[in-house]
Amino acid sequence: MNSKQINNSSQSLRYLTKWRYASSLISVVLMLLSLSVIGVKGFNWGLDFTGGVVTEILIDQHITASEIQPLMTAAYQQDVSVISASEPGRWVLRYANIPDENQRPELQQVLAPLASNLTVLNSSIVGPQVGQELVEQGGLALVVAMLCIMGYLSYRFEWRLASGALFALVHDVVFVLAFFALSQMEFNLTVLAAILAILGYSLNDSIIIADRVREQLVAKPKWNTTDINNLAVRSTFSRTMVTSGTTLLTVVALWIMGGAPLEGFSIAMFIGILTGTWSSISVGATLPEFLGLKTEHYLITLLPDTP
């Protein structure tokens, strides 16, 4: 390698260092703002958590959800979720419960402008007690998932690298939660499922970079940690971009083709993939450096036992 190539390489590494530090600072500031938004705005809990009425109807096959929803929303004075069921003309209606029977409009009357041969197949009420149980179980699922991930990272990596990967996971989840708090989109079970999926996706990215950092720490013991982190990020960058790009295309297709029932899931996954890619490269690789990660922390595990 000639002197010109060496200079170009060193300049690119210095640029990458500045980029990592700047992006990490931006991430920390945005994370603090996101926590503030969550605390101030709260969530617009869906019927899965608050309780409500779930009614399944059978109507003419040519009638669409865009025709049913305006009539239901106007009659019940609230947002009504209209979800396609297993066969054409079969719909699931979800809305908040109206305890007073006298104030609850009859479905046949509400949808009379569309069709007269409407059949109510079944109707059930999800009480707020069940909704509260779902909130507790959903929160417990997130906590258990995070604890399992913490245990795995602690076993696989030295604690400084594990801390970087774990902080990146928290970063991604907070960003998704902040979006739903700020936009007041409905937070339901599909969004919770997306958050659990984001944990797995982001963890995969973080582990790949952390593995490369660990390999370089052992292979290049005389290098400083900053250069090793830059080399690890640069060597995995193309793979990360290709993986994230193809996954985003799949999520966008799901967003477009899945319709309203999968909208929350798709949006949460879209944000999670973007922030997961960002945090794995910036936060996940930079935090261990600030915590004092050095070559000695891994070389010591390779030394033979002395009598």
Side-chain angles (χ1 to χ4, degrees):
M1 183 181 292
N2 56 43
S3 59
K4 184 176 180 180
Q5 290 175 323
I6 293 175
N7 288 334
N8 290 337
S9 178
S10 61
Q11 287 178 358
S12 64
L13 288 177
R14 284 196 297 270
Y15 174 77
L16 185 54
T17 301
K18 294 179 180 178
W19 184 87
R20 282 196 302 109
Y21 290 169
S23 60
S24 297
L25 179 61
I26 293 171
S27 293
V28 171
V29 172
L30 290 178
M31 187 172 177
L32 293 175
L33 291 174
S34 298
L35 290 172
S36 301
V37 169
I38 294 172
V40 172
K41 301 276 289 184
F43 299 109
N44 176 23
W45 298 104
L47 294 178
D48 296 324
F49 299 109
T50 61
V53 180
V54 180
T55 302
E56 191 171 3
I57 64 172
L58 187 64
I59 202 168
D60 292 342
Q61 297 183 10
H62 68 275
I63 297 174
T64 63
S66 59
E67 295 175 294
I68 297 174
Q69 192 164 31
L71 294 176
M72 292 292 299
T73 300
Y76 285 78
Q77 298 297 309
Q78 59 178 289
D79 289 333
V80 178
S81 174
V82 182
I83 304 171
S84 177
S86 56
E87 61 183 75
R90 194 166 182 165
W91 300 93
V92 176
L93 312 177
R94 306 177 71 178
Y95 50 92
N97 187 25
I98 303 175
D100 191 348
E101 294 288 341
N102 297 325
Q103 295 181 0
R104 184 185 300 172
E106 292 291 335
L107 282 175
Q108 286 81 356
Q109 296 177 358
V110 173
L111 300 179
L114 296 179
S116 57
N117 57 341
L118 180 144
T119 303
V120 178
L121 301 177
N122 58 72
S123 183
S124 59
I125 297 176
V126 179
Q129 195 170 25
V130 176
Q132 181 62 32
E133 185 179 349
L134 286 174
V135 173
E136 294 173 357
Q137 291 179 345
L140 182 62
L142 281 176
V143 171
V144 170
M146 293 297 292
L147 289 175
C148 291
I149 290 171
M150 285 174 62
Y152 170 74
L153 291 174
S154 301
Y155 170 77
R156 181 161 182 174
F157 298 108
E158 200 266 343
W159 72 269
R160 294 169 181 83
L161 269 180
S163 299
L166 184 62
F167 187 82
L169 291 181
V170 176
H171 167 278
D172 302 337
V173 172
V174 167
F175 269 50
V176 175
L177 293 177
F179 172 82
F180 279 87
L182 184 63
S183 65
Q184 287 296 292
M185 285 186 63
E186 183 180 293
F187 192 98
N188 51 33
L189 286 178
T190 60
V191 176
L192 179 61
I195 290 175
L196 292 174
I198 289 166
L199 286 176
Y201 184 88
S202 180
L203 179 63
N204 177 64
D205 264 354
S206 299
I207 284 178
I208 288 173
I209 295 178
D211 262 334
R212 188 57 57 90
V213 171
R214 182 176 58 178
E215 291 173 4
Q216 298 301 329
L217 285 171
V218 175
K220 299 177 174 60
K222 295 184 179 180
W223 282 39
N224 61 55
T225 307
T226 301
D227 290 338
I228 285 178
N229 281 339
N230 290 337
L231 182 62
V233 170
R234 190 169 63 175
S235 61
T236 58
F237 185 79
S238 59
R239 177 226 175 257
T240 301
M241 290 298 103
V242 170
T243 303
S244 299
T246 52
T247 311
L248 280 175
L249 289 176
T250 305
V251 171
V252 169
L254 188 64
W255 190 351
I256 295 173
M257 305 299 294
L262 293 178
E263 183 180 27
F265 179 88
S266 304
I267 292 175
M269 285 296 297
F270 187 88
I271 298 171
I273 291 170
L274 289 179
T275 58
T277 304
W278 172 281
S279 64
S280 299
I281 293 175
S282 58
V283 179
T286 305
L287 182 60
E289 185 179 329
F290 285 126
L291 293 175
L293 180 67
K294 296 180 181 178
T295 302
E296 291 81 4
H297 296 135
Y298 277 100
L299 286 181
I300 195 171
T301 62
L302 300 179
L303 296 176
D305 294 334
T306 55

